[in-house]
Amino acid sequence: GAVVSQHPSRVICKSGTSVKIECRSLDFQATTMFWYRQFPKKSLMLMATSNEGSKATYEQGVEKDKFLINHASLTLSTLTVTSAHPEDSSFYICSATPAYNEQFFGPGTRLTVL
Amino acid sequence: QKEVEQNSGPLSVPEGAIASLNCTYSDRVSQSFFWYRQYSGKSPELIMSIYSNGDKEDGRFTAQLNKASQYVSLLIRDSQPSDSATYLCAVNIDGGATNKLIFGTGTLLAVQP
């Protein structure tokens, strides 16, 4: 149980384009999903908390207009990186919470912006 | 700033030995503690959660929590080369008001065959 999927697993795009990443909880309903970013050999950095049916809560320093988050249903949250630049290249990982505090992670999306 | 600290390692242990991974946290109101395993290039995988002081065992893994000392550890018995990974300690930061976690930087474990 507690399976989270993410799509796409890898994306390469040109600078200035937008990229959408989907996160789905496959076997449970998740009222809360989280989006993280991880740079090589660094720890996970929480970007935002996504609650179904409400606006996402962004961590300090994360541009909400650049990283658009939509949590349309109890099983789907999306992260759109708008006008991507090379410095946005990173490993983006979502997680979802089926029960008290336990977070289960999706497999991640590796974004490369040329 | 609320923090979770881990020794980055690498921690090298021979196959079959016990690996001991440690973590300290700064937020006294933290109530939930987790250990995740992350293989290189992959996302984290939850291996243990612990909420009460003392030990919690699951197979070869034992999590230990001491809230008074703000310390949580993970023991891996009979370490295998497949256990070689980065182990992330995660702590709930607001006493359960939300499900937000803060992660340590991780300890790289290398199990030598």
Side-chain angles (χ1 to χ4, degrees), chain B residues 41-54:
Chain B
K42 303 295 185 182
S43 66
E45 173 191 8
L46 179 64
I47 54 173
M48 288 287 285
S49 59
I50 187 166
Y51 304 99
S52 304
N53 280 329

Side-chain angles (χ1 to χ4, degrees), chain B residues 53-72:
Chain B
N53 280 329
D55 295 359
K56 179 181 178 182
E57 185 175 320
D58 183 1
R60 295 187 295 114
F61 299 98
T62 299
Q64 300 175 316
L65 175 61
N66 184 325
K67 291 184 180 179
S69 300
Q70 296 175 235
Y71 175 92
V72 59

Side-chain angles (χ1 to χ4, degrees), chain A residues 38 43 59 101-103 106, chain B residues 32 36 38 43 49 99-100 104:
Chain A
Q38 187 175 37
S43 191
E59 295 300 301
N101 276 339
E102 291 185 339
Q103 290 187 26
Chain B
S32 307
Y36 287 84
Q38 186 174 25
S43 66
S49 59
N99 291 329
K100 286 174 61 173

Side-chain angles (χ1 to χ4, degrees), chain B residues 6-21:
Chain B
Q6 297 180 253
N7 188 320
S8 61
L11 173 66
S12 184
V13 301
E15 183 174 355
I18 296 175
S20 178
L21 305 162

Side-chain angles (χ1 to χ4, degrees), chain A:
Chain A
V3 179
V4 179
S5 70
Q6 232 177 295
H7 178 79
S9 59
R10 187 180 297 268
V11 59
I12 300 173
C13 68
K14 293 182 179 180
S15 184
T17 60
S18 294
V19 174
K20 179 185 282 189
I21 302 169
E22 289 189 350
C23 177
R24 292 181 185 273
S25 55
L26 298 185
D27 52 0
F28 63 95
Q29 293 184 329
T31 54
T32 305
M33 291 184 174
F34 301 88
W35 287 95
Y36 295 85
R37 180 167 53 183
Q38 187 175 37
F39 293 105
K41 300 192 183 300
K42 299 293 185 182
S43 191
L44 293 165
M45 295 301 296
L46 178 65
M47 298 175 65
T49 303
S50 170
N51 291 294
E52 186 266 338
S54 63
K55 291 184 178 180
T57 301
Y58 292 82
E59 295 300 301
Q60 190 172 6
V62 178
E63 301 175 59
K64 62 180 181 181
D65 294 330
K66 181 170 186 61
F67 299 100
L68 302 179
I69 292 172
N70 182 275
H71 195 150
S73 74
L74 287 173
T75 60
L76 173 64
S77 177
T78 61
L79 167 68
T80 301
V81 183
T82 62
S83 186
H85 291 284
E87 58 266 30
D88 298 323
S89 297
S90 189
F91 190 40
Y92 291 87
I93 317 173
C94 72
S95 72
T97 306
Y100 180 65
N101 276 339
E102 291 185 339
Q103 290 187 26
F104 294 88
F105 285 87
T109 297
R110 196 163 301 280
L111 171 64
T112 302
V113 184
L114 302 177

